[in-house]
Amino acid sequence: MELRSSQGGLAAWWLLVGLGLLLASGGLSRAWGQGAPGPACALSVAGRVLDQRTGEPLPGAVLRLSAAGATAGPSAASPLTEAADADGHYHFHQLCAGSYVVRASFVGYAEQVLAVEVRGRLTTLDIKLKAAPGQLGEVRVAGEQPAATPLVSQSQTTLSGAALQQTRGQNLATALQGITGVYSIQTGPTIAKPVIHGLYGNRVLLLNNGVRQEGQQWANDHAPEIDPFTATRLSVIKGAASIRYGADAIGGVVLVEPAALPDTAGVGGEVNLVGMTNGRLGAASAFVQQAFPADTALGAGRGQPRAGLLRGLSYRVQGTLRRAGTARAANYYLTNTGLAERNYSLALGYHRGIVRTELFFSRFDTQLGIFAGSETGSINDLLAAIERPRPLTPDQFTYAISRPYQAVVHQLFKAKATAALPGGGRVEATYARQTDARSEYGSQLPYNPALGDVPDLFLSLTSHTLDVAYLTPAAGVWSVTAGLSGQTQANIRQYQYLIPNFRNYGAGAFVLGKHRGERLTLEGGLRYDYRWLRAFLTDVTTGRVIQPTTVYQAVTGTVGGLLALGPSLSLTANLATAWRPPTVNELYAAGVHQSAATYELGNPDLTKEQAYNASASVLYTTAQLEGEVGGYVNYFRNYLYLEPSGRYIRTVRGAYPVFDYTQAEVIFRGLDARASYHPTQRLTLTSAASLLWAWNYSANDYLIYAPPNRWQNSVRLNLGGPAGIFRQSYVGVNNLLVARQNRTPASGDYAPAPAAYNLWGAEAGTILHAGPRVLDLSLTVSNLFNREYRDYLNRFRYYAADLGQNIQLRLRVPF
């Protein structure tokens, strides 16, 4: 599919489409009855009750709603009372327009009192309860819990709400960079992957809507094929999480979690518009969702309730357009770094009796320009490009994307069924099919013009996964989760050789147990994994196809706990083992990796990677101060990594630096610290530091490409009073200090580590309340003073600087 355009007005056209959706939302909401006031005393309030720390539902939580100035309805003396269901959902119906007070309480949690204005037919209010003093900082409920619940002994950080909104329009890795201990490894301004505690690539598992993301993610220049607009929560689990998620969660897990499908009758949705000055990026994303009434069927006359097949049915339709032109460093444009993206997703849920089913489909379609200065014709030109302080590429802006570039289409289909069992347990089964088609185009056109604009490399990966889990009731002091998983993969290659065709099979089984005491929670688990890989190679001497086959298997374990040391203080600790088999590129790569501008060589003698992880953290929380300090140690036997060889190679496609896949005995040691202080209700001071040391025992030297130390600080001032059109407004400034990475191996790199850099930013935002309409508006500025810098984890730092100033404007309109 051709996505390129030479007309700069294309991004503006997409923005106009988004604006049209925004303007239409007013008419849609009136037509669908979501935004406009409904009949007198026929309004509703609904939402979920969740644990503030983990986000898990609190079934059985008690909610009391009383009037505070409503024209009619419940009074403070006789409030309406509801109990949250098994998923934490609650509903109040037949309300009149006006002001209400909601009191939410649950055993072991502090009561929360919230004011809510009821204007439209449906007002959504999610409530997060905090564990009461003396209680464990974990969920303790009698209902069902998600099968993907992380261990309480591992550090988890979640972006949601306003924090997530401020990242809209960015790619997934960039959105996560503000989390302590999370970095980003980049290939130019458009391609980035998350790094957790110095680990990246196949050591960081991406869980997209509960499904392992399977694509051509083995290389640093292969950005995750995920649309962050689909998520209402982005969570990062730090540390080895292989027991629950499998072998490639050796470094951590990123959870991309969309909101649960609605179960309250009505139609709603949201429109997001984003504009950025750097690259003149424009993004528009919107979704519409609906749940059918529990007592009526589609087509029934008004006021004629009857049971029907559509009872318990809900759906969501979502789409995103994103377009950017040439990105700009502080003092020059980065030629051919535009992007074009078109994504959509569909979700369908059905809940009847003890069975809940869900279908999900998403398509991610992107085209990413590769910085033109990374491609050279000779070794002398390559050396000059690395030495040159500024590239010689054209210094001009365009939306056109030309060679070199990459085009990727990723499709995901998911089917999930959950059955509640007598006594409170449940069984979950999830099947997913994914296809990932990647085309990489070099700087040179084919010698035969009749071939057209064919890629230099085409890879098509098809994956099937099946996961089954059994969860015991969580009501007692003991709970157990056990599961089985299976996977098949097939890869097809065309045109130039980089990796061979291959087939891959995997299977795993795990069990996790948890014991909850009054102050201490203990948990542990075991997992067995089996991996089978067969590659299909052509012997250059005989022309025969050879089929090297490798088999790997291992048992991993984890043990940890959470100890409540007082009403505000808790301690967590975790010990875990993890492993990872070598991937097909690490074993058999041999050729030009066009989009990374490198020549890579695999090693078929590589063995499995084995890791031993220890982590501990202390969390302190009061009304004025929240702080967490955590340390970790990761020891690896046979750590697999891509090492610069110091050689260069000249091919018919140009000159490239050579990198070899190798193994070593290494250790990572690090410290994450974060504190947030509220001297007043309006002022918030935040400081966070990420420190990491990586050592290569095999070479008796530092390990290459370890993230440098980082320190972040911010000040935010909340403006406005409890009422009025600007009652939720804020301004703030922030600073990021990244040290020079002095701990680099003596064997060197193709370019020395860049200097330290210090970046300032600013932010402002408000939520405008105009009758039933709510407008969430925010403005952020990164690299406020337009400093030129190069980041150590950007592979294209060899050739150019990183991004200059970027002003970002975001608008969110729920309807």
Side-chain angles (χ1 to χ4, degrees):
M1 182 178 295
E2 182 61 58
L3 297 179
R4 290 181 294 170
S5 172
S6 61
Q7 298 180 1
L10 182 55
W13 182 84
W14 280 358
L15 277 178
L16 287 175
V17 171
L19 286 171
L21 289 172
L22 171 63
L23 294 175
S25 68
L28 289 173
S29 62
R30 286 188 293 273
W32 292 332
Q34 178 66 15
C41 300
L43 312 182
S44 300
V45 174
R48 300 183 77 196
V49 186
L50 308 169
D51 179 274
Q52 184 186 61
R53 178 175 178 267
T54 66
E56 295 184 3
L58 299 179
V62 177
L63 299 107
R64 296 177 176 85
L65 182 140
S66 58
T71 58
S75 66
S78 57
L80 297 178
T81 302
E82 288 285 342
D85 65 14
D87 291 316
H89 291 282
Y90 72 92
H91 318 84
F92 290 104
H93 299 298
Q94 303 302 315
L95 302 179
C96 305
S99 300
Y100 291 84
V101 175
V102 177
R103 296 178 180 272
S105 60
F106 190 69
V107 176
Y109 288 78
E111 183 181 59
Q112 187 168 163
V113 181
L114 299 170
V116 58
E117 295 288 331
V118 177
R119 293 289 182 264
R121 284 194 174 175
L122 174 63
T123 301
T124 301
L125 177 67
D126 289 340
I127 302 173
K128 296 183 179 181
L129 298 183
K130 183 179 179 180
Q135 299 295 327
L136 292 177
E138 60 161 322
V139 176
R140 191 170 185 179
V141 299
E144 63 175 341
Q145 298 179 0
T149 300
L151 300 176
V152 299
S153 59
Q154 287 188 311
S155 175
Q156 179 185 9
T157 304
T158 297
L159 289 179
S160 61
L164 180 61
Q165 179 61 23
Q166 291 182 355
T167 69
R168 293 305 195 190
Q170 299 174 340
N171 60 48
L172 180 63
T174 305
L176 297 172
Q177 282 190 98
I179 296 177
T180 311
V182 179
Y183 309 81
S184 173
I185 190 165
Q186 299 172 258
T187 306
T190 57
I191 301 172
K193 304 185 73 167
V195 179
I196 302 176
H197 288 169
L199 303 176
Y200 52 88
N202 281 359
R203 300 180 189 91
V204 175
L205 174 65
L206 304 177
L207 209 65
N208 183 11
N209 194 10
V211 175
R212 297 165 51 93
Q213 180 78 4
E214 299 291 348
Q216 308 283 355
Q217 68 258 34
W218 38 267
N220 296 333
D221 67 307
H222 296 176
E225 303 95 342
I226 296 176
D227 180 7
F229 277 108
T230 62
T232 55
R233 288 163 50 95
L234 296 177
S235 300
V236 174
I237 302 171
K238 304 172 189 175
S242 300
I243 303 300
R244 179 62 186 88
Y245 301 104
D248 26 6
I250 194 170
V253 180
V254 176
L255 304 175
V256 181
E257 302 170 283
L261 286 169
D263 63 354
T264 301
V267 180
E270 184 176 287
V271 175
N272 281 274
L273 300 177
V274 180
M276 300 184 184
T277 57
N278 201 320
R280 304 179 194 177
L281 179 145
S285 183
F287 72 83
V288 175
Q289 62 184 16
Q290 181 181 12
F292 291 94
D295 57 354
T296 62
L298 189 67
R302 182 179 297 275
Q304 299 177 9
R306 64 179 179 86
L309 290 177
L310 293 182
R311 177 167 58 89
L313 183 69
S314 57
Y315 71 85
R316 179 183 297 125
V317 179
Q318 181 268 343
T320 298
L321 299 175
R322 205 162 67 104
R323 186 74 163 107
T326 310
R328 183 174 174 82
N331 299 305
Y332 51 85
Y333 283 103
L334 302 168
T335 304
N336 196 49
T337 50
L339 65 89
E341 195 173 296
R342 296 186 291 187
N343 314 315
Y344 67 86
S345 64
L346 310 169
L348 184 68
Y350 190 65
H351 186 193
R352 182 64 67 89
I354 65 171
V355 178
R356 182 187 298 271
T357 57
E358 178 187 346
L359 299 177
F360 177 80
F361 177 81
S362 67
R363 177 184 169 91
F364 181 92
D365 188 338
T366 187
Q367 186 179 33
L368 301 169
I370 306 298
F371 175 56
S374 64
E375 298 262 348
T376 58
S378 68
I379 293 178
N380 288 334
D381 290 342
L382 175 59
L383 294 173
I386 294 174
E387 291 291 332
R388 194 177 294 120
R390 174 173 175 158
L392 297 179
T393 51
D395 189 18
Q396 61 186 24
F397 176 86
T398 178
Y399 279 103
I401 299 175
S402 57
R403 286 174 173 259
Y405 71 94
Q406 57 181 241
V408 184
V409 176
H410 184 275
Q411 298 182 88
L412 163 65
F413 170 75
K414 164 191 166 183
K416 179 180 180 181
T418 303
L421 302 177
R426 75 182 193 274
V427 175
E428 293 183 350
T430 304
Y431 164 77
R433 180 185 187 274
Q434 299 175 65
T435 59
D436 192 79
R438 167 175 291 272
S439 300
E440 299 192 357
Y441 298 79
S443 60
Q444 299 177 355
L445 288 170
Y447 291 112
N448 183 358
L451 295 176
D453 193 21
V454 298
D456 292 87
L457 175 67
F458 175 78
L459 300 170
S460 178
L461 180 70
T462 300
S463 305
H464 299 265
T465 57
L466 177 64
D467 296 276
V468 180
Y470 166 70
L471 293 85
T472 64
V477 296
W478 282 98
S479 63
V480 175
T481 302
L484 301 171
S485 63
Q487 178 189 61
T488 68
Q489 285 186 323
N491 185 79
I492 297 175
R493 174 193 63 83
Q494 285 184 275
Y495 308 112
Q496 300 292 337
Y497 179 90
L498 175 61
I499 62 172
N501 294 340
F502 69 86
R503 292 198 67 87
N504 186 22
Y505 296 95
F510 75 93
V511 60
L512 277 169
K514 181 183 296 185
H515 180 272
R516 304 174 183 84
E518 183 178 351
R519 296 170 56 87
L520 177 65
T521 294
L522 294 175
E523 56 192 6
L526 288 173
R527 183 182 181 100
Y528 167 77
D529 280 292
Y530 172 89
R531 294 291 177 90
W532 182 95
L533 173 67
R534 172 169 291 171
F536 301 88
L537 303 165
T538 302
D539 189 301
V540 295
T541 303
T542 65
R544 296 171 51 195
V545 176
I546 57 177
Q547 301 178 18
T549 304
T550 53
V551 175
Y552 308 93
Q553 54 186 327
V555 176
T556 54
T558 187
V559 62
L562 181 150
L563 175 63
L565 299 173
S568 303
L569 189 64
S570 63
L571 170 68
T572 61
N574 181 268
L575 297 173
T577 63
W579 74 288
R580 182 178 72 88
T583 54
V584 69
N585 58 303
E586 293 165 330
L587 293 169
Y588 306 116
V592 175
H593 200 163
Q594 198 73 47
S595 56
T598 58
Y599 192 94
E600 299 177 4
L601 292 172
N603 182 351
D605 296 325
L606 298 176
T607 60
K608 68 181 180 183
E609 185 177 271
Q610 183 72 50
Y612 303 89
N613 174 265
S615 62
S617 63
V618 177
L619 176 66
Y620 180 77
T621 303
T622 65
Q624 283 190 302
L625 178 63
E626 298 175 9
E628 184 176 11
V629 178
Y632 59 91
V633 176
N634 257 325
Y635 169 74
F636 284 85
R637 285 195 327 222
N638 302 320
Y639 178 81
L640 289 154
Y641 67 104
L642 196 59
E643 181 180 47
S645 68
R647 309 188 309 273
Y648 301 90
I649 189 170
R650 172 74 169 87
T651 73
V652 295
R653 297 158 67 184
Y656 303 93
V658 178
F659 289 77
D660 298 321
Y661 284 102
T662 187
Q663 288 186 295
E665 179 187 4
V666 305
I667 190 169
F668 292 83
R669 292 171 293 175
L671 181 71
D672 295 337
R674 186 181 189 278
S676 182
Y677 177 54
H678 312 274
T680 69
Q681 290 185 347
R682 293 177 179 269
L683 185 63
T684 302
L685 310 176
T686 303
S687 183
S690 301
L691 310 178
L692 186 145
W693 298 264
W695 183 257
N696 185 335
Y697 286 111
S698 300
N700 196 30
D701 203 346
Y702 294 112
L703 180 68
I704 197 165
Y705 301 137
N709 295 335
R710 187 177 65 182
W711 187 25
Q712 299 168 276
N713 294 279
S714 66
V715 178
R716 174 180 283 200
L717 178 64
N718 293 322
L719 307 173
I725 188 173
F726 294 104
R727 59 181 178 269
Q728 293 173 277
S729 303
Y730 65 89
V731 295
V733 295
N734 56 77
N735 175 261
L736 170 64
L737 176 62
V738 177
R740 186 180 189 272
Q741 182 54 285
N742 294 312
R743 295 184 292 272
T744 58
S747 57
D749 195 356
Y750 290 105
Y757 61 88
N758 185 15
L759 303 180
W760 287 88
E763 60 179 0
T766 186
I767 297 180
L768 303 177
H769 298 262
R773 183 71 62 216
V774 175
L775 304 178
D776 186 348
L777 185 66
S778 65
L779 178 71
T780 60
V781 185
S782 55
N783 196 355
L784 180 64
F785 300 112
N786 200 32
R787 302 299 188 191
E788 182 169 308
Y789 70 99
R790 301 192 185 203
D791 189 89
Y792 180 65
L793 293 185
N794 189 339
R795 293 291 294 274
F796 280 2
R797 64 178 170 84
Y798 298 153
Y799 315 109
D802 275 81
L803 289 178
Q805 184 187 82
N806 191 14
I807 302 173
Q808 307 158 50
L809 180 65
R810 298 179 175 89
L811 175 65
R812 182 180 70 92
V813 185
F815 59 88

